[in-house]
């Protein structure tokens, strides 16, 4: 119970900080995924590998099945959803079967089915989904693009196959009903950002023929440092010049949602904002 309260409190703290910022900026209280008229609070749902605490989110070699992963994620996801974040970020996903589990947790249940009223530990399941109909994205962890030029996720499976697996669970209008906001990648090397975005856009277009039903693309790389799963440590790199290079790669990658992951700082995000502002691509709310 204490752990559940702490998980929910994380969302409450973020919402309170956002509301304080919005009030200080005079931005109004309305929040819309479509309009992005004020900051949004995302509830992070990381991979099973992070729970194992052995670095396996960077290799995706755990033995759990998609069903077992679904059961693992559901209680924590429902706690987060009950705390009313603006969106859910399934992130650092290293293996296709985990993406399948996550898509199933958000999949709308037909009205009148037995599963539509299912609950977990007393949580009220709106629309029969663990996400409670909150918009979400699924973000994969990708190693450096191999010499073949074909992007892969941490498990070694093709990124295009990962997109196909999610599309199989949420085809066409199902993605819209489930409120799949985006597919993409996080915790990867920023030098690969542009190529990964190009690749995943093509994969998305292949499986969602109607652009109005297709998810967008989310992209938030790490700082460019490399993580050593065996030593459980980051290899340092660069200074301010590296930050500027990082910001250029992120700002120019062509994704719909951009940001920073491990080892990125407010300075990284500020640098991206400055580039977008100079290019006239940043719309200020105040």
């Amino acid at each position: 119970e204490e752990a559940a309260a702490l998980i929910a409190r994380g969302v409450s703290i973020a919402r309170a900080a956002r509301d304080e910022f919005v009030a200080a900026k005079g931005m109004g209280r309305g929040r819309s995924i479509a309009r992005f008229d004020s900051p949004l609070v995302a509830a992070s749902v990381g991979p099973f590998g992070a729970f194992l605490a052995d670095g396996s989110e960077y290799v995706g070699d755990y033995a759990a099945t998609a069903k077992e992963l679904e059961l693992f994620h559901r209680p924590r996801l429902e706690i987060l959803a009950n705390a009313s974040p603006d969106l859910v970020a399934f992130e650092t996903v290293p293996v296709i079967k985990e993406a399948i589990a996550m898509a199933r947790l958000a999949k709308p249940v037909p009205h009148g089915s037995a599963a539509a009223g299912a609950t977990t530990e007393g949580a009220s399941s709106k629309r029969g989904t663990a996400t409670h109909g909150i918009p979400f994205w699924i973000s994969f962890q990708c190693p450096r693009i191999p010499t073949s030029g074909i992007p892969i996720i941490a498990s070694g499976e093709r990124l295009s196959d990962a997109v196909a697996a999610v599309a199989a669970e949420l085809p066409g209008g199902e993605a819209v009903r489930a409120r799949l906001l985006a597919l993409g990648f996080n915790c990867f090397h920023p030098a690969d950002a542009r190529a990964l975005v190009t690749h995943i856009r093509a994969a998305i277009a292949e499986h969602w023929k109607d652009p109005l039903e297709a998810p967008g693309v989310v992209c938030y790389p790490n700082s460019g440092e490399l993580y050593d799963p065996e030593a459980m440590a980051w290899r340092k790199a660069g200074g301010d010049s590296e930050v500027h290079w990082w910001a250029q790669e992120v700002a120019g990658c062509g994704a719909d949602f951009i940001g920073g992951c491990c080892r990125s700082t407010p300075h990284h995000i500020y640098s991206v904002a400055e580039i977008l502002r100079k290019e006239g691509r940043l719309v200020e709310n105040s």
Side-chain angles (χ1 to χ4, degrees):
E1 290 183 6
E2 183 178 356
L6 288 172
I7 291 171
R9 189 175 175 221
V11 176
S12 299
I13 290 172
R15 283 168 54 90
R18 185 269 315 283
D19 292 345
E20 181 179 345
F21 172 83
V22 166
K25 291 289 186 179
M27 295 167 65
R29 302 186 65 177
R31 292 182 292 278
S32 166
I33 290 286
R35 297 192 306 272
F36 298 103
D37 48 9
S38 73
L40 304 173
V41 173
S44 171
V45 180
F48 179 63
F51 167 78
L52 297 176
D54 60 1
S56 58
E57 65 265 43
Y58 297 101
V59 289
D61 63 353
Y62 34 88
T65 65
K67 183 61 179 177
E68 289 169 337
L69 291 169
E70 188 178 341
L71 292 172
F72 168 77
H73 284 295
R74 181 177 288 276
R76 180 170 48 126
L77 179 55
E78 290 194 333
I79 292 167
L80 288 168
N82 278 328
S84 300
D86 298 303
L87 60 95
V88 171
F90 292 111
E91 54 190 6
T92 327
V93 181
V95 61
I96 287 177
K97 61 186 174 183
E98 191 154 30
I100 290 173
M102 291 167 168
R104 287 175 179 171
L105 286 167
K107 196 171 188 177
V109 177
H111 180 72
S113 72
T119 61
T120 298
E121 297 183 355
S124 62
S125 187
K126 302 172 186 176
R127 299 180 65 204
T129 75
T131 56
H132 294 193
I134 296 170
F136 70 101
W137 67 52
I138 297 177
S139 179
F140 296 96
Q141 200 285 318
C142 297
R144 295 304 306 270
I145 296 176
T147 55
S148 67
I150 300 174
I152 58 175
I153 62 176
S155 61
E157 298 165 301
R158 292 186 177 192
L159 178 60
S160 57
D161 291 338
V163 172
V166 175
E169 292 294 328
L170 299 171
E174 280 288 287
V176 177
R177 286 187 287 276
R179 305 194 75 183
L180 174 58
L181 192 63
L183 294 175
F185 10 79
N186 70 289
C187 208
F188 67 97
H189 197 284
D192 289 334
R194 299 173 197 243
L196 286 173
V197 170
T198 298
H199 184 86
I200 202 168
R201 279 211 188 277
I204 288 171
E206 179 181 351
H207 295 287
W208 284 277
K209 303 298 185 184
D210 185 344
L212 296 178
E213 296 176 341
V217 175
V218 60
C219 171
Y220 46 119
N222 60 35
S223 67
E225 298 168 76
L226 298 176
Y227 185 75
D228 183 342
E230 293 185 5
M232 299 184 74
W234 290 90
R235 301 176 191 169
K236 289 186 176 292
D240 285 346
S241 61
E242 294 288 341
V243 171
H244 182 67
W245 167 80
W246 182 94
Q248 288 180 313
E249 294 301 308
V250 173
C253 74
D256 303 295
F257 307 92
I258 56 176
C261 197
C262 295
R263 311 287 283 187
S264 62
T265 67
H267 184 34
H268 285 80
I269 304 305
Y270 177 81
S271 297
V272 172
E274 282 297 288
I275 291 172
L276 297 178
R277 187 176 291 111
K278 289 177 181 177
E279 294 178 355
R281 294 195 285 146
L282 183 65
V283 179
E284 303 281 7
N285 286 302
S286 63

